[in-house]
Amino acid sequence: MIFEVFRQERRGQPFAHAGSVDAPDLEFAEAWAREQYGRRQESEALWVVPREAVREVHDFPDELNKTYHRVDGYSLKAKLKEARERAGTAAP
Amino acid sequence: MDARTQEFVEYVQGGGQVETGDWMPDEYRAKLIKFIEMHGNSELMGVLPEREWILRAPTLQRKLALTAKVQDEVGHSQLIYRVVEDLGKPRAACLQDLVDGKSKFHNVFHYPTKTWGDVGVIAWLVDAAAIISQKALLKCSYAPYARIMKKICWEESFHILHGRDVILTLMNGKDEQRALVQEALDRWWGPLMTFHGTAIAADEDPMVYWRIKSQGNEEARQQFLDGYVPQIWELGLTVPDTELRKNDDGVWEYSEPDWDELKRVVTGHGPMTAERLEFRRRLLEQEAWVRDVVLAEAA
């Protein structure tokens, strides 16, 4: 069975995919993962997950081009210039 | 070439990376398997020359360090064979092809380790040459391979330090010890100079075309010479090549390496090839019961 291993380098950091191990069961998979990713104290924690348990999700279409919920939907430069001119101020 | 393959080539040549489940041309998959499998074989076969010195290491500290290095390299082969397996070739098939002499492993692992000096030269200079290739693989177009290379490079840097420490200790010892290092270097220089392969132009190298590698062979060799020849010279060691010099333009000149020997060795006719493959074959058979028991208990 293939188990995917995710590793956290330091407390508080996200778990990132590190690789996979081939083991007959979860207990063995943990032992392999410890040897591969923890024996020099390089990891804070590991997640060992059967590959089948991982649902991969791809493709996030944006047919309506919804820029209003992204930062690139807001170009303030021209408006700010106009507002400053109206107020008679300069950029701080 | 069909349009889909054309698009794929442009994608990887533009720095794009590919994941296991993505569509890829058959040729790319075949090239990946061959290249990565040879890397896995090399990690696995590479521990055999060093293994011979675990019981003969001069101190307990050296014995522990060498054992740790051997564990690292075997671990690398496990990670690498996993990547090959996900590309479609099972590990058992890789191991069988290896012991049957159907697949290759790196030239440097076909040579004997005659003295403790060899252990130092291997850990320092062979690993240095290897890390240059492996660092370039961090940008491999096949992402799962590039990802495990991070861990592999990280561990290799300990190996280089361990090797350099072994060499420095010998060089600070007696004349006999310095002679031991020089003699080992004399024997290893040839294999080191052919390690990165012939000076095929990067744009004619199929591995570069698919961006499996991003570095040309000669570029890697120049980087090795530039990084390590000064470190060899500063210890008072002699590189056994009278033509070796750095030109004003920064390019290293050297005598033509023995490419016939490289070809002979990697096609299975190196001085230790048969013995080491036989050892690996025997272990594979001897340990079959362990795999059977583990799988039976888990079932």
Side-chain angles (χ1 to χ4, degrees):
Chain A
M1 250 178 104
I2 308 301
F3 294 82
E4 298 294 348
V5 182
F6 299 82
R7 126 173 213 271
Q8 186 188 39
E9 203 162 291
R10 272 186 286 281
R11 188 167 286 277
Q13 286 190 340
F15 283 72
H17 185 241
S20 57
V21 293
D22 184 356
D25 57 30
L26 190 55
E27 203 183 337
F28 253 97
E30 178 187 326
W32 280 129
R34 279 180 180 279
E35 283 301 317
Q36 284 287 10
Y37 296 105
R39 73 178 183 281
R40 287 198 173 89
Q41 291 78 45
E42 68 268 44
S43 300
E44 176 67 31
L46 301 176
W47 286 347
V48 182
V49 187
R51 178 173 278 179
E52 295 78 38
V54 177
R55 174 175 293 212
E56 254 193 79
V57 182
H58 293 279
D59 299 327
F60 306 93
D62 180 20
E63 288 101 345
L64 301 176
N65 191 22
K66 297 188 286 188
T67 59
Y68 57 81
H69 66 172
R70 297 196 302 260
V71 290
D72 66 352
Y74 297 89
S75 168
L76 303 186
K77 210 175 162 186
K79 285 177 190 163
L80 188 59
K81 186 166 175 269
E82 190 185 330
R84 280 188 187 127
E85 276 167 11
R86 190 202 322 277
T89 61
Chain B
M1 189 187 297
D2 61 274
R4 200 176 187 192
T5 303
Q6 182 65 42
E7 197 186 329
F8 182 92
V9 170
E10 281 165 21
Y11 174 71
V12 293
Q13 290 189 349
Q17 286 194 304
V18 183
E19 293 289 345
T20 312
D22 295 347
W23 179 84
M24 59 185 86
D26 291 344
E27 194 190 338
Y28 177 71
R29 184 183 297 275
K31 287 255 174 352
L32 276 178
I33 290 176
K34 194 175 171 198
F35 186 88
I36 302 174
E37 181 183 4
M38 188 213 172
H39 188 180
N41 291 344
S42 301
E43 298 277 5
L44 192 61
M45 296 305 288
V47 300
L48 297 185
E50 297 184 292
R51 174 193 165 277
E52 292 168 18
W53 280 89
I54 292 177
L55 291 176
R56 293 181 279 176
T59 67
L60 180 60
Q61 184 69 18
R62 294 291 192 220
K63 194 192 294 279
L64 291 170
L66 195 55
T67 311
K69 180 178 188 302
V70 164
Q71 183 187 7
D72 286 353
E73 312 286 20
V74 173
H76 298 169
S77 80
Q78 287 173 341
L79 289 174
I80 294 168
Y81 283 140
R82 276 269 51 258
V83 172
V84 177
E85 206 157 39
D86 283 346
L87 283 164
K89 183 165 183 180
R91 181 171 60 189
C94 295
L95 292 174
Q96 198 57 50
D97 282 354
L98 173 65
V99 298
D100 289 345
K102 288 180 188 162
S103 55
K104 290 179 182 167
F105 58 99
H106 250 304
N107 72 319
V108 284
F109 305 123
H110 294 256
Y111 292 90
T113 30
K114 292 185 176 161
T115 72
W116 179 247
D118 292 46
V119 177
V121 170
I122 291 173
W124 179 29
L125 296 176
V126 172
D127 280 41
I131 208 171
I132 286 169
S133 309
Q134 290 174 335
K135 275 200 171 145
L137 292 171
L138 290 166
K139 288 184 281 180
C140 178
S141 58
Y142 188 59
Y145 186 44
R147 279 197 292 271
I148 60 164
M149 215 52 64
K150 274 190 219 164
K151 172 193 153 71
I152 292 178
C153 289
W154 181 66
E155 289 184 351
E156 295 289 354
S157 17
F158 138 70
H159 301 166
I160 294 182
L161 280 184
H162 150 77
R164 209 170 169 202
D165 192 66
V166 167
I167 294 294
L168 287 175
T169 305
L170 289 169
M171 293 307 287
N172 290 339
K174 297 177 179 166
D175 283 346
E176 289 93 324
Q177 290 171 296
R178 281 183 282 275
L180 196 76
V181 176
Q182 183 63 59
E183 192 271 333
L185 179 64
D186 290 347
R187 275 183 292 111
W188 284 96
W189 191 253
L192 280 167
M193 287 302 285
T194 52
F195 180 86
H196 291 108
T198 50
I200 177 177
D203 55 8
E204 288 168 21
D205 189 335
M207 293 301 169
V208 176
Y209 176 81
W210 293 104
R211 292 302 184 271
I212 295 171
K213 289 196 325 188
S214 56
Q215 186 185 47
N217 293 348
E218 184 57 22
E219 193 186 338
R221 188 167 23 251
Q222 287 290 330
Q223 206 182 321
F224 172 74
L225 292 169
D226 214 40
Y228 292 90
V229 170
Q231 289 188 19
I232 294 170
W233 281 345
E234 74 178 351
L235 302 182
L237 290 163
T238 309
V239 176
D241 178 0
T242 47
E243 305 293 311
L244 184 72
R245 70 178 65 84
K246 190 175 182 175
N247 286 334
D248 293 339
D249 56 3
V251 177
W252 287 85
E253 247 183 64
Y254 50 83
S255 320
E256 194 60 30
D258 190 343
W259 301 115
D260 291 337
E261 176 174 326
L262 175 71
K263 200 170 174 194
R264 255 194 333 273
V265 163
V266 295
T267 51
H269 306 95
M272 292 296 283
T273 316
E275 191 180 322
R276 291 203 177 123
L277 284 179
E278 174 53 25
F279 178 83
R280 187 54 75 199
R281 194 191 58 73
R282 211 172 61 232
L283 281 188
L284 202 59
E285 284 171 13
Q286 268 174 25
E287 291 161 358
W289 71 271
V290 180
R291 290 190 291 277
D292 293 344
V293 168
V294 167
L295 289 172
E297 280 190 0

